[in-house]
Amino acid sequence: MTLSEENYLKALYHLAKDAKEAVSTNAIAEVMETKASSVTDMIKRLSEKKLVKYKRYQGAKLTEEGKLYAVNVIRKHRLWEVFLVEKLNFSWDEVHEVAEQLEHIKSDKLIEELDVFLDYPSVDPHGDPIPDKHGNIQPLPKVLLATLKVGEKGVCVGVKNSSKEFLQYLDKLEISLGNELTVLSKEPFDNSVSIGMGNTKISVSSLTANNLYVKKV
Amino acid sequence: MTLSEENYLKALYHLAKDAKEAVSTNAIAEVMETKASSVTDMIKRLSEKKLVKYKRYQGAKLTEEGKLYAVNVIRKHRLWEVFLVEKLNFSWDEVHEVAEQLEHIKSDKLIEELDVFLDYPSVDPHGDPIPDKHGNIQPLPKVLLATLKVGEKGVCVGVKNSSKEFLQYLDKLEISLGNELTVLSKEPFDNSVSIGMGNTKISVSSLTANNLYVKKV
DNA sequence: ATTAAAATTTAGACAAAGCTAAAAATTTAT
DNA sequence: ATAAATTTTTAGCTTTGTCTAAATTTTAAT
Ligand SMILES: [Mn+2]
Ligand SMILES: [Mn+2]
Ligand SMILES: [Mn+2]
Ligand SMILES: [Mn+2]
């Protein structure tokens, strides 16, 4: 499997996660930052290899084999992200690009030993679960901050949007995973949320509250 | 720079190390396990990029810029080999293939932090020196076991041939880097060398003695 | 000094992965 | 039910890196 094929499988996986139906050519083209015609070519190749189910004009869908392959790449990506943060002093907004490269290194021993070395982490620096070596993913109970009612408490456990911009903004607000917060009030006008954290009190926009996962406590 | 270009630069560097003259197309083709015609194409591309000096039918030679690039890839290769052995329980005969992949990961921070994490190692698991970030290589004083005279002592510090077969053979003989040995006798008939190591005494072939580096003590 | 052999380069093809422009199918709007 | 708009596919071209076969240059042998 080539690097490019692996990236398409990953994209297919992430796009199909919620939607159960086949994924459209354009949707893939958008996340892959490429042209629809290129997507059609690649989907045909992956279909030849039985990793994707494809009917002309009807979109694409991972087969079980394709899904397993995709999950394995995601496992590598997330383990490397943990390594970069825990061992090499990377911050959570710096790891993604490097992990995008490292996830394509081919060596079973490498990834198993990395898992041992990191002491079997269950989530990556963005709170995303790390699939085990069989491709099983432990889903953690988490909800968006925006869904908490006034008075409820939660611990930050993940981000939905893990763009550099959002992560750096959270850093500026001193919001880190593990922090406990309380919803003090919600503003009906713009859906902003006022939260208490430690002994500070801040207000975050609706957009922010809809991209930060918490675990209710 | 592509992965393939980087591999050619590395090959050029290793081939030109001893020989000061230009490297022949066939010599490159051999180590790259490819055809001479492919080498000609690539050398032209690298020449366009000013990384290689090239005159038709006259072989190729790295420019200063090309040499620096090559040394940097070698630095990455060797640091990753140290990581694999020291942190991930790889043995010295398992690291090369994986390091061949890891050496192409592009991230300055990654390699600098890896160097810090490993505490600035000076040699890789095969005793080869690790260039510093400026491309300087500290040459260690080492000689082939075959050059020691009867009665002389040495510490194993490296291998000239680092093929899996040779490394595994050394493992079987329980010869590791750091071991001290004494030359007990040399057999004129086949140039084999009898050595004492700890409280054992073994005889190694001329070929072996010509591929094991020691530091005289 | 020719000729033969070996090394090197060129020409032409191919696969992967991308692109643009045009054609075809599907979806949406009237 | 047509027509218009959108989506998707096809056709043809490009680049990287490889190959084989043929041509060229260099080196070695008579
Ligand atoms: Mn990531
Ligand atoms: Mn992540
Ligand atoms: Mn190596
Ligand atoms: Mn090595």
Side-chain angles (χ1 to χ4, degrees), chain A residues 122 129-131 136-140:
Chain A
S122 61
I130 298 178
N136 301 117
I137 302 177
Q138 215 60 39
L140 335 165

Side-chain angles (χ1 to χ4, degrees), chain B residues 40 44 54 57:
Chain B
T40 301
K44 280 182 187 164
Y54 168 68
Y57 292 99

Side-chain angles (χ1 to χ4, degrees), chain B residues 142-157:
Chain B
K142 61 186 176 187
V143 296
L144 290 173
L145 169 57
T147 68
L148 290 197
K149 297 186 182 19
V150 173
E152 289 190 309
K153 289 177 196 298
V155 175
C156 302
V157 293

Side-chain angles (χ1 to χ4, degrees), chain A residues 77-78 81 95-97 99-100 124 126 128 162:
Chain A
H77 183 103
R78 292 181 180 165
E81 285 190 345
V95 296
H96 187 72
E97 294 94 321
E100 281 293 314
D124 83 0
H126 312 105
D128 292 313
S162 56

Side-chain angles (χ1 to χ4, degrees), chain B residues 110-127:
Chain B
L110 176 64
I111 203 65
E112 290 320 310
E113 291 288 346
L114 188 63
D115 198 18
V116 171
F117 183 58
L118 298 172
D119 201 20
Y120 309 102
S122 59
V123 295
D124 83 358
H126 311 106

Side-chain angles (χ1 to χ4, degrees), chain A:
Chain A
M1 293 285 290
T2 68
L3 183 147
S4 195
E5 288 173 332
E6 291 186 343
N7 284 337
Y8 273 92
L9 291 181
K10 239 189 354 161
L12 259 299
Y13 181 86
H14 286 307
L15 284 167
K17 206 165 22 186
D18 349 84
K20 279 287 163 175
E21 325 89 52
V23 179
S24 80
T25 303
N26 268 357
I28 301 168
E30 178 153 4
V31 307
M32 293 295 295
E33 294 180 47
T34 183
K35 294 294 146 77
S37 55
S38 306
V39 173
T40 301
D41 282 355
M42 179 58 90
I43 290 300
K44 280 182 187 163
R45 271 199 290 278
L46 292 173
S47 179
E48 287 291 313
K49 297 192 179 186
K50 307 280 184 205
L51 295 164
V52 157
K53 233 171 301 173
Y54 168 68
K55 269 208 288 288
R56 269 161 84 255
Y57 292 100
Q58 309 299 196
K61 211 165 156 287
L62 289 176
T63 62
E64 274 310 308
E65 195 191 338
K67 200 176 295 180
L68 193 65
Y69 201 107
V71 169
N72 203 48
V73 176
I74 290 168
R75 167 172 161 79
K76 294 197 276 181
H77 183 103
R78 292 181 180 165
L79 279 172
W80 280 116
E81 285 190 345
V82 173
F83 170 72
L84 294 173
V85 166
E86 304 267 302
K87 307 293 183 181
L88 300 195
N89 302 308
F90 276 63
S91 52
W92 70 345
D93 60 295
E94 293 176 318
V95 296
H96 187 72
E97 294 94 321
V98 183
E100 281 293 314
Q101 299 179 61
L102 287 164
E103 71 188 6
H104 302 293
I105 303 290
K106 280 158 190 73
S107 164
D108 289 341
K109 182 176 170 88
L110 176 65
I111 203 67
E112 290 320 310
E113 291 289 348
L114 188 63
D115 198 18
V116 172
F117 183 59
L118 299 172
D119 201 19
Y120 309 103
S122 61
V123 294
D124 83 0
H126 312 105
D128 292 313
I130 298 178
D132 70 18
K133 78 173 86 176
H134 308 296
N136 301 117
I137 302 177
Q138 215 60 39
L140 335 165
K142 58 186 178 187
V143 296
L144 291 173
L145 169 59
T147 67
L148 289 197
K149 295 186 183 19
V150 173
E152 290 189 310
K153 287 178 198 300
V155 176
C156 300
V157 294
V159 290
K160 185 169 172 193
N161 172 331
S162 56
S163 69
K164 199 170 286 229
E165 294 70 36
F166 184 53
L167 298 176
Q168 287 175 355
Y169 173 59
L170 291 179
D171 283 343
K172 196 149 66 179
L173 294 180
E174 297 186 355
I175 295 177
S176 311
L177 299 195
N179 284 16
E180 181 168 321
L181 50 79
T182 311
V183 176
L184 302 176
S185 68
K186 300 176 77 169
E187 178 54 57
F189 171 63
D190 61 0
N191 294 309
S192 65
V193 181
S194 175
I195 60 178
M197 208 177 63
N199 34 23
T200 63
K201 180 177 134 176
I202 55 177
S203 170
V204 300
S205 68
S206 166
L207 186 59
T208 297
N210 274 295
N211 278 294
L212 182 60
Y213 286 118
V214 299
K215 190 178 133 201
K216 282 199 228 185
V217 293

